[in-house]
Amino acid sequence: MIPAVEQSLEARPLGGSAQPRSVRAALAADRLQAAFSRHGLDVDAHELASGRVVVSVAHGVLVHTNGPHFWWVTWGSSRRGKPRVTLCRTVERVVEELLQHPAVVKRRQTTETPKLPV
């Protein structure tokens, strides 16, 4: 968990107050990290000055979140090198989409431990 979020959660008063945007974003990033971890990928999360969080999944693959939404930019797709922004609302959909991304596939192949002969 991002240290600033741990402090925010500890300092948060009990009661009906809404969570700050940065806390929602950090909690969403934690859920995303856990989901990728279940697929054997260790990803990093970093809080931005805007209160959003960016999650580094693979080389060139950064997922941004503000809490309820996740988005990332893919370059050099079939649109002649123009960027394509993908928006998702669920962690499951993000993982499903990105496990097919070429950079993530490559990372998974290189991080898998080789099976040594016995």
Side-chain angles (χ1 to χ4, degrees):
M1 183 178 273
I2 299 170
V5 174
E6 287 179 331
Q7 293 171 356
S8 297
L9 291 174
E10 291 171 4
R12 188 170 161 236
L14 297 175
S17 63
Q19 291 177 329
R21 184 180 330 197
S22 61
V23 172
R24 290 190 312 248
L27 292 173
D30 284 346
R31 290 193 315 272
L32 191 59
Q33 284 180 300
F36 276 113
S37 169
R38 288 191 292 274
H39 290 277
L41 285 173
D42 185 27
V43 299
D44 297 325
H46 305 277
E47 188 172 1
L48 303 175
S50 65
R52 296 177 179 150
V53 176
V54 65
V55 178
S56 176
V57 179
H59 181 74
V61 182
L62 298 174
V63 179
H64 298 259
T65 184
N66 59 357
H69 302 101
F70 301 89
W71 66 95
W72 63 93
V73 177
T74 304
W75 290 90
S77 63
S78 61
R79 295 176 41 191
R80 297 184 184 174
K82 295 183 180 178
R84 175 180 164 225
V85 177
T86 305
L87 174 69
C88 294
R89 293 180 185 254
T90 66
V91 168
E92 295 78 17
R93 185 72 178 152
V94 173
V95 172
E96 179 183 317
E97 290 272 336
L98 287 179
L99 285 178
Q100 299 173 25
H101 188 285
V104 177
V105 170
K106 183 177 179 180
R107 179 172 177 220
R108 288 183 78 195
Q109 290 171 347
T110 59
T111 58
E112 290 177 357
T113 48
K115 295 185 169 76
L116 300 174
V118 180

